[in-house]
Amino acid sequence: MKKKVVSVLLSVAMVATMLAGCGAKAEAPAADAAAPAATEEKAEEPAAEEEAAAPAGDNVINLYAFTDEIPNMVQKFLELHPDFGYEVKPTIIATTDGAYQPALDQALAAGEVDMYAAEAAFILKYSQGDAAQYAAPYKDLGIDVDAKVKEADIAQYTVDIGTNPDGDLVGLGYQATGGAFIYRRSIAKDVFGTDDPAVIKEKIGGGSGSWDTFWKAADELKAKGYGIVSGDGDIWHAVENSSDKGWIVDGKLNIDPKREAFMDISMKLKENDYYNDTQDWQDAWFADMKGEGPKGIFGFFGPAWLINYTLAPNCGGEAVGEGTYGDWAICESPIGFFWGGTWVLGAAASDKKEAVGQIIEWITLDSSDTGLQYFWANGTMEEGKVGTKDSVGSGTVMAKSNGEVEFLSGQNMFDVFVPANQYANGKNLTQYDETINQYWRDAVRQYTGGTMSKEDAIAAFKQNVADNLDVIVE
């Protein structure tokens, strides 16, 4: 049998990944979108003179993705399964300027896709929304869903998000993006006398479901000249994905009380000078990761990818003692939340469902030591090399993996992220989140900036939604 390889055809320029050297600034995602998926290897630009691959045939699986992350995983799968019998042709289109979804939609409608990826910002469109009809239930791909999900101990929020209106699982991720509080050890010692995660968890009200204790910690930090977070966006992502309901309920705009309360949270941060008033993904936000802002910042809310692909590249060093590298730890957040992630789906129109199912099961549900999840959690995608360790969808895998990270001064991050993944709520997303979040954050900034009253800011937000989306606004 001839050797099967991943085709190098890239129909559109690849997205630049966030995995830069420590100290290099990560690229910002679209305004208030879910952050881009972390990538194990930096994407290479396709050569301009590259020949197009041969047309798809009976042994070609067409994969659509927005980074080279999943194509690289498929390459690993093919290396481990040399008798698989299929080539995989990836089409990689960056989400920049909204290019990915229209191209994917057109290809799905034409029946030209066998397998595809969707990130948190728009997964609901493909699993439960306007494009849900294109996704094949995992059971139709030959996957024993109930048994595999239980065996792998998959984080429930990822299952909820990837389940279609008929109750069938159509998508799962390989990462799990449950969030924690990521804090500076040196500041913890200065203010609280210890950097012990168990103690700091109590100091910020970790697991309490309330912000009350968090504000007490903010006062203690302020007294010593520190801010508790960099900007209000650090708390927004926790608030957004811990709300009880999403932006759309029964076709109507819904402002969940927890999300509306973010206006007061943001104002409290500003009026009490608890932060450096930065915006996420801007230079000042990155500067706070290096400890170079107007005042030292205690922490950030986020999942493992924020540590690996944002904090680490922007910490100002590459080893303990350089910049803030190694001066970090994590503990449980006051509220459970998730931020970001990528889901993998198979196409209902594909005539290669069983083959696609083998790849998807290996990526999302295989909890053995030779499944993608184990390689991803332990940073062993490349043989003989320990790379970036990441939180994965399988609790079973993380329980048997080594989550000790030098950036966290040797702390085992899985001790925190396994329960964090279980606390996250996956029932508050809508297919319009990316756009509505931007309108909401803009309205909150108008309010905290003093240019609008709370009532006027909410009214402007509603008007934006009414003018631009097919959503009933009352």
Side-chain angles (χ1 to χ4, degrees):
M1 179 179 293
K2 69 177 182 178
K3 182 178 180 182
K4 304 302 179 185
V5 297
V6 175
S7 166
V8 294
L9 174 67
L10 304 178
S11 66
V12 181
M14 292 180 179
V15 67
T17 69
M18 295 174 66
L19 185 54
C22 194
K25 186 178 73 175
E27 292 295 320
D32 297 310
T39 306
E40 188 71 14
E41 297 180 12
K42 180 172 283 188
E44 297 178 357
E45 293 295 328
E49 67 277 7
E50 192 167 29
E51 293 289 334
D58 291 341
N59 69 331
V60 176
I61 291 173
N62 290 294
L63 164 65
Y64 269 64
F66 46 86
T67 72
D68 68 343
E69 191 164 84
I70 293 175
N72 286 342
M73 293 173 183
V74 174
Q75 175 66 70
K76 182 73 172 181
F77 172 85
L78 295 176
E79 291 172 0
L80 294 173
H81 302 84
D83 296 328
F84 180 57
Y86 290 85
E87 295 180 12
V88 178
K89 184 178 76 173
T91 299
I92 302 176
I93 303 172
T95 56
T96 309
D97 299 323
Y100 178 66
Q101 291 183 63
L104 174 60
D105 293 349
Q106 183 176 358
L108 284 169
E112 298 172 348
V113 184
D114 297 296
M115 178 178 166
Y116 52 110
E119 68 174 1
F122 51 82
I123 175 58
L124 261 289
K125 171 183 173 182
Y126 295 95
S127 63
Q128 300 172 18
D130 292 346
Q133 72 271 22
Y134 297 117
Y138 273 18
K139 65 183 182 182
D140 292 352
L141 304 177
I143 299 173
D144 186 353
V145 174
D146 292 341
K148 286 294 182 178
V149 167
K150 182 177 180 180
E151 177 185 329
D153 187 24
I154 298 297
Q156 186 60 43
Y157 85 91
T158 67
V159 175
D160 292 339
I161 291 168
T163 298
N164 72 13
D166 293 327
D168 291 322
L169 184 66
V170 299
L172 281 177
Y174 40 92
Q175 290 175 303
T177 57
F181 185 63
I182 310 160
Y183 63 90
R184 293 274 303 279
R185 289 180 179 273
S186 58
I187 294 177
K189 289 177 181 177
D190 186 28
V191 177
F192 304 116
T194 179
D195 62 352
D196 184 349
V199 176
I200 302 305
K201 170 186 172 180
E202 298 303 318
K203 286 290 184 181
I204 67 163
S208 67
S210 165
W211 293 104
D212 294 345
T213 303
F214 184 81
W215 297 126
K216 294 177 182 177
D219 282 328
E220 291 186 66
L221 286 155
K222 180 181 176 180
K224 284 271 193 172
Y226 300 109
I228 194 164
V229 290
S230 178
D232 68 350
D234 295 307
I235 292 184
W236 164 245
H237 297 294
V239 169
E240 175 199 0
N241 287 319
S242 65
S243 64
D244 297 313
K245 294 184 179 180
W247 286 121
I248 311 297
V249 176
D250 297 329
K252 299 178 181 179
L253 178 66
N254 172 71
I255 303 179
D256 187 275
K258 292 179 180 177
R259 293 183 180 183
E260 185 169 352
F262 176 67
M263 300 186 84
D264 298 326
I265 289 173
S266 184
M267 185 63 84
K268 191 179 186 81
L269 287 167
K270 189 174 188 70
E271 290 180 339
N272 289 279
D273 194 26
Y274 286 149
Y275 65 168
N276 279 336
D277 200 8
T278 67
Q279 289 189 34
D280 26 334
W281 309 106
Q282 302 299 316
D283 286 343
W285 193 58
F286 295 120
D288 281 343
M289 296 175 185
K290 298 182 182 70
E292 296 177 354
K295 54 176 171 282
I297 294 303
F298 187 42
F300 298 80
F301 286 94
W305 65 254
L306 190 74
I307 295 170
N308 294 330
Y309 307 108
T310 308
L311 283 164
N314 291 282
C315 69
E318 297 181 353
V320 175
E322 297 177 2
T324 62
Y325 191 101
D327 187 32
W328 298 89
I330 62 173
C331 69
E332 188 178 336
S333 165
I335 55 177
F337 72 101
F338 77 96
W339 180 12
T342 301
W343 279 252
V344 188
L345 304 93
S350 173
D351 59 0
K352 307 173 186 70
K353 288 188 177 66
E354 184 178 348
V356 169
Q358 290 179 50
I359 299 174
I360 289 180
E361 181 174 329
W362 181 80
I363 290 175
T364 66
L365 285 164
D366 186 342
S367 56
S368 74
D369 292 358
T370 55
L372 181 280
Q373 303 261 314
Y374 188 83
F375 295 133
W376 202 254
N378 291 280
T380 53
M381 282 286 284
E382 294 184 46
E383 189 173 352
K385 176 184 176 182
V386 178
T388 302
K389 299 176 181 180
D390 207 343
S391 176
V392 295
S394 170
T396 300
V397 167
M398 285 195 286
K400 63 179 179 179
S401 298
N402 180 357
E404 295 178 357
V405 180
E406 187 180 54
F407 184 79
L408 300 177
S409 194
Q411 182 182 4
N412 187 333
M413 65 178 178
F414 295 158
D415 290 343
V416 177
F417 283 124
V418 169
N421 293 334
Q422 297 299 336
Y423 296 151
N425 173 19
K427 297 182 178 180
N428 55 16
L429 271 68
T430 78
Q431 62 178 321
Y432 298 115
D433 284 355
E434 186 172 4
T435 300
I436 297 178
N437 283 341
Q438 180 177 341
Y439 295 155
W440 180 246
R441 293 287 303 279
D442 288 346
V444 173
R445 290 187 190 109
Q446 293 289 327
Y447 169 55
T448 58
T451 59
M452 283 188 179
S453 67
K454 181 187 291 188
E455 293 74 18
D456 288 345
I458 291 174
F461 163 70
K462 289 182 175 180
Q463 193 63 53
N464 257 333
V465 173
D467 289 345
N468 294 287
L469 297 173
D470 185 19
V471 174
I472 298 172
V473 179
E474 297 178 337

